[in-house]
């Protein structure tokens, strides 16, 4: 086969130095512009977009303004500390991940490229390639820029980084071969694709950001406006809390002020404007206190800590999380769109089966391993993937491919071509010349003298393997008298038929089964042919159903309404382009799905970016990694199921903290309101509220965030993304526990007030009251641990070391405050007997919870 030439006009000798400079000035360097980095200050300021943080900022501003009137800045300082800690922790972990990510995806632009300039072939850095250059490529080279072929010889390109298609034949002579089915024209070479076979020269037509890979990279960095499910949940929670808090505070302010005007007529009918202002300010301060008490200051801290801890743990298991919220969003995913090559498969061909047809005396001097070694052009790890697979099979049979080649003398070669669908080699082996042929079975078998029995064996084998979407090759040989390959090949003996496949990763079928069991739909989107895509789907556990497959061209031809109807049943899209993947993701999102996308190629980048969660592979392209939210460093599809388990468990941990935190807030809110009604001083001081709402709740956030994931969540269906984070059972539990704790504490407060009618409530009694309040929450923390299950709080408690440490820390902190807090915390110490009474009396909270969970287990077991 000769070298193909195109009729495209170009300078055969290449560009001169002046022309190179002019082209570079006009078209720029051959560099992909990296996404603009977000400054550290902007990254930190973005942390203040959290809806709960915004409420806290409003409360802090009001509190600060009032502090200038009464000189009490402690509460204001406490709120600002809560804001600072929550935002700084999130900033630290995300910036740390960004640094690790930049190190992971650093690209080298100094890769050498062969070009012809001024009639001389020279090597230059990839970044120095310009439009108009003539680039020379051969097996193993990476295409440095987009361009049009001007000469080619048996050129085969791996376009999997753009289309997912591992092997595409390219031709320079388009007039001879015309347009064929494929993602891109057959005379077009694209940056970042790989030459797997043959050689060629091409004229560079686009460099840098104007290449196809540059266009894909731009679309993968557009602002999608997609909000994660957790973002939406926190938005709704913030609105609810603000409505409840401001309604209660506003109502209380009006009621108490009107009541004072009616009952304290002397003040309001006098001209004591300072006294009136002080009264209004007192009730306004009470209203602000109610607003602050209604806002869960610890929530941003809890969410950030939970996400950050998961982020660190997942990094230790080779999963790099770039964006904190991606950890939780994985728990809401109900559709995973994945490419095939490199994600589901190993991206390397292997010989699955070898049917030996003839091994008789006629072929005894040319063993099958010898014939394959000579009649291939690939080397170990370099070359056509099919030939690499054959060489690896030879090694597995104990043959030394390089030794065989050194001992043989090749006299003639007929390279493989898509027209002939075969290749042939004439070689002298041990003093005898042999003609060796391999290629498509339907072509090679016509050249062979074959018996009916041999034909039946071969056809049965082919029918079975091709039905499973395997690639098949026939191998034949015969001794010849001359050193040249005859034009008419005939009289060969069929040696064997090889069945090859790109193996599915071993962990994929089980991981897909786990996804299905967890209610997650898996869809394959690939540039490969339909037969292979459908067979891979079958192998990983996706069974064919009506409407489950479509080609990229057919999908693109559907209007939006038709596409919206089809996406639910679709499981496989073959021959897909990058825009097809992106459109599929957007259609699924319009249907209300939470979508994750996995991929390793540049062709996956737009879909990775537009998905709720983009999962790139560690071996993938830099563009894919930049577009993703998480990178699976070990390239394991099983890591996806781990991420789902972590995400679902994390969401439950956040709900558990909300239960704990809001019970505290409801109890404290009602106590402050009730204390104002009965006319006593605030039952909890500002510093005590700071301890309860910030320090203790931060410990609780750490405890609940550190709870390990539970595999039980994988038996559940994905939660609807519009479900409120405060479910009805959760709200009922918060109200019940909050009202119960309030009733207990208010009864204690009422008793103390009327027991000392003359002197008022003593400081020691308020110390007992404060300690009782804290210990109720300590025991309730164990109840919160079991939220969402019927398990005992003591189940696996020995493994929850973080929770045990936090419980002991809270009790120790409370003891220090009570014994040494003095005026700052309004405490005066307690005896060990009092400690024992308070701890044992408040433990009833846990025992009642245990009885309730036991009853539910019994009922469930009898159903």
């Amino acid at each position: 086969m000769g070298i193909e030439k195109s009729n495209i006009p170009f300078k055969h000798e290449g560009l001169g130095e002046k022309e190179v400079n002019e082209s570079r000035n006009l078209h720029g360097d051959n560099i992909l512009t990296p996404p603009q980095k977000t400054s550290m200050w902007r990254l930190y300021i973005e942390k203040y977009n959290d809806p709960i943080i915004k409420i806290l900022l409003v409360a802090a501003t009001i509190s600060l303004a009032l502090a200038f009137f009464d000189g009490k800045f402690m509460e204001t300082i406490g709120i600002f500390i809560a804001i600072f800690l929550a935002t700084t922790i999130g900033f630290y972990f995300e910036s740390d991940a960004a640094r690790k990510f930049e190190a992971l995806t650093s690209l080298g632009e100094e890769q050498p490229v062969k070009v012809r300039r001024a009639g001389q072939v020279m090597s230059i850095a990839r970044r120095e390639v310009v439009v108009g250059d003539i680039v020379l490529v051969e097996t193993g080279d990476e295409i440095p820029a987009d361009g049009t072929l001007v000469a080619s010889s048996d050129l085969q390109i791996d376009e999997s980084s753009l289309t997912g298609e591992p092997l595409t034949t390219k031709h320079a002579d388009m007039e001879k071969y015309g347009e064929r089915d494929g993602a891109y024209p057959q005379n077009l070479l694209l940056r970042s694709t790989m030459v797997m076979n043959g050689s060629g020269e091409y004229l560079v037509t686009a460099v840098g950001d104007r290449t196809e890979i540059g266009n894909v990279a731009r679309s993968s960095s557009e602002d999608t406006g997609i909000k994660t499910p957790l973002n939406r949940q926190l938005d709704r929670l913030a609105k609810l809390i603000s409505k409840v808090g401001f309604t209660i505070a506003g109502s209380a302010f009006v009621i108490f002020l009107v009541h004072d005007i009616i009952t304290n007529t002397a003040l309001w009918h006098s001209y004591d404007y300072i006294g009136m202002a002080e009264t209004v300010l007192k009730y306004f301060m009470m209203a602000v206190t109610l607003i602050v008490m209604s806002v869960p200051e610890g929530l941003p801290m809890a969410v950030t800590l939970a996400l950050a801890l998961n982020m660190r743990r997942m990094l230790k298991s080779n999963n790099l999380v770039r964006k904190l919220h991606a950890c939780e969003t994985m728990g809401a995913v109900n559709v995973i769109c994945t490419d095939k090559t490199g994600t589901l498969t190993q991206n390397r061909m292997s010989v699955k089966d070898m049917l030996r047809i003839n091994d008789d005396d006629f072929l005894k001097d040319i063993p099958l391993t010898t014939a394959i070694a000579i009649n291939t052009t690939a080397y170990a790890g370099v070359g056509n993937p099919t030939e690499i697979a054959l060489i690896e099979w030879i090694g597995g049979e104990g043959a030394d491919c390089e030794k065989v080649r050194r001992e043989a003398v090749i006299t003639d070669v007929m390279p493989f071509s898509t027209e002939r669908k075969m290749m042939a080699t004439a070689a002298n082996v041990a003093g005898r010349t042999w003609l060796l042929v391999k290629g498509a079975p339907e072509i090679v078998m016509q050249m062979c003298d074959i018996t009916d029995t041999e034909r039946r064996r071969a056809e049965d084998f082919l029918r079975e393997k091709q039905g499973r979407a395997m690639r098949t090759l026939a191998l034949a040989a015969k001794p010849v008298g001359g050193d040249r390959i005859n034009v008419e090949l005939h009289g060969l003996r069929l040696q064997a038929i090889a069945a090859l496949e790109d193996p599915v990763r071993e962990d994929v079928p089980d991981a897909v089964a786990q996804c299905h069991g967890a209610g997650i739909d898996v869809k394959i989107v690939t540039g490969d042919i339909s037969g292979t895509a459908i067979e891979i789907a079958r192998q990983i556990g996706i069974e064919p159903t009506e409407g489950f497959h479509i080609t990229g061209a057919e999908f693109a031809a559907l209007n939006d309404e038709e596409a919206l109807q089809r996406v639910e049943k679709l499981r496989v899209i073959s021959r897909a382009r990058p825009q097809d993947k992106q459109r599929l993701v957007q259609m699924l999102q319009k249907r209300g799905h939470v979508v994750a996308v996995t991929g390793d190629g540049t062709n996956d980048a737009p879909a990775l970016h537009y998905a709720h969660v983009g999962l790139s592979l560690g071996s993938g392209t830099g563009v894919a990694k930049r577009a993703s939210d998480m990178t699976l460093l070990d390239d394991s599809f099983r890591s996806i199921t781990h991420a789902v388990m972590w995400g679902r468990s994390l969401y439950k941990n956040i709900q558990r903290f909300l239960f704990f935190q809001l019970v505290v807030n409801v109890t404290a809110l009602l106590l402050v309101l009730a204390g104002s009604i009965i006319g006593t001083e605030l039952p909890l001081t500002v510093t005590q509220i700071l301890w309860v709402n910030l320090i203790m709740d931060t410990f609780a956030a750490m405890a609940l965030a550190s709870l390990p994931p539970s595999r039980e969540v994988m038996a559940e269906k994905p939660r609807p993304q519009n479900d409120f984070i405060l479910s009805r059972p959760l709200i009922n539990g918060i109200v019940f526990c909050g009202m119960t704790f309030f009733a207990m504490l208010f009864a204690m407060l009422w008793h103390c007030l009327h027991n000392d009618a003359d002197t008022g409530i003593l400081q020691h009694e308020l110390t007992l009251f404060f300690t009782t309040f804290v210990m109720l929450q300590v025991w309730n923390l164990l109840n919160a641990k079991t939220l969402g299950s019927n398990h005992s709080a003591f189940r696996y408690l020995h493994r929850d070391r973080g929770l045990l440490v936090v419980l002991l820390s809270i009790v120790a902190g409370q003891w220090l405050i009570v014994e040494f807090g003095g005026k700052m915390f309004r405490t005066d110490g307690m005896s060990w007997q009092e400690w024992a009474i308070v701890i044992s009396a408040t433990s009833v909270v846990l025992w009642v919870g245990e009885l309730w969970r036991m009853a539910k287990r019994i009922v469930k077991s009898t159903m």
Side-chain angles (χ1 to χ4, degrees), residues 253-494:
F253 174 75
V254 172
I255 291 172
F256 281 103
L257 184 59
V258 171
H259 179 267
D260 195 279
I261 292 173
I262 294 174
T263 57
N264 193 4
T265 55
L267 173 65
W268 295 98
H269 287 84
S270 67
Y271 293 96
D272 185 6
Y273 297 111
I274 294 179
M276 294 179 189
E278 288 179 347
T279 302
V280 173
L281 183 61
K282 179 182 72 173
Y283 292 126
F284 189 69
M285 281 290 292
M286 180 199 68
V288 171
T289 302
L290 291 172
I291 292 174
V292 172
M293 289 304 302
S294 68
V295 177
E297 290 97 328
L299 179 57
M301 178 81 68
V303 173
T304 301
L305 280 173
L307 293 172
L309 284 172
N310 272 24
M311 186 176 181
R312 283 297 177 90
R313 287 172 174 174
M314 294 179 76
L315 180 59
K316 290 180 180 178
S317 61
N318 294 318
N319 298 315
L320 175 62
V321 181
R322 294 186 58 221
K323 300 176 183 177
L324 284 178
H325 285 282
C327 296
E328 180 278 330
T329 307
M330 278 303 300
V333 165
N334 56 14
V335 176
I336 296 175
C337 298
T338 175
D339 71 335
K340 177 186 72 67
T341 307
T343 306
L344 301 177
T345 66
Q346 299 174 18
N347 198 18
R348 56 189 299 267
M349 299 294 292
S350 66
V351 176
K352 188 69 175 177
D353 201 355
M354 183 74 73
L355 176 67
R356 296 175 185 266
I357 302 293
N358 276 306
D359 202 9
D360 53 19
D361 290 342
F362 185 75
L363 299 174
K364 66 180 181 179
D365 293 330
I366 188 73
L368 180 61
T369 53
T370 299
I372 293 175
I374 296 172
N375 194 29
T376 55
T377 59
Y379 294 85
V382 179
N384 183 298
T386 301
E387 294 198 337
I388 292 175
L390 290 172
I391 291 174
E392 290 177 349
W393 180 84
I394 292 173
E397 293 291 305
D400 187 337
C401 181
E402 294 304 315
K403 182 181 178 181
V404 171
R405 287 177 174 177
R406 286 195 303 268
E407 293 176 350
V409 179
I410 297 176
T411 59
D412 195 12
V413 174
M414 180 183 291
F416 176 87
S417 73
T418 54
E419 289 70 36
R420 286 191 295 266
K421 295 185 180 180
M422 49 80 68
M423 74 168 291
T425 301
N428 187 286
V429 180
R432 191 175 187 183
T433 302
W434 291 85
L435 175 61
L436 310 172
V437 177
K438 78 169 185 286
E442 65 273 16
I443 302 297
V444 175
M445 287 172 63
Q446 291 178 3
M447 305 175 183
C448 297
D449 292 337
I450 187 169
T451 66
D452 291 341
T453 301
E454 291 171 347
R455 185 175 298 278
R456 282 194 299 270
R457 288 182 63 203
E459 289 177 348
D460 290 344
F461 182 82
L462 289 170
R463 191 178 302 109
E464 177 195 354
K465 302 306 178 183
Q466 291 175 348
R468 293 166 57 185
M470 292 187 189
R471 181 174 298 178
T472 53
L473 283 175
L475 302 119
K478 76 171 183 177
V480 292
D483 293 336
R484 312 303 295 176
I485 298 173
N486 296 325
V487 176
E488 294 184 7
L489 300 171
H490 56 82
L492 284 83
R493 296 297 296 274
L494 185 63

Side-chain angles (χ1 to χ4, degrees), residues 530 533-534 545 547-551 554 566 570-574:
S530 300
I534 293 171
T545 56
F548 94 116
H549 168 258
I550 196 173
T551 65
E554 292 169 343
R566 285 293 303 273
L570 271 180
R571 298 294 181 275
V572 179
I573 299 182
S574 59

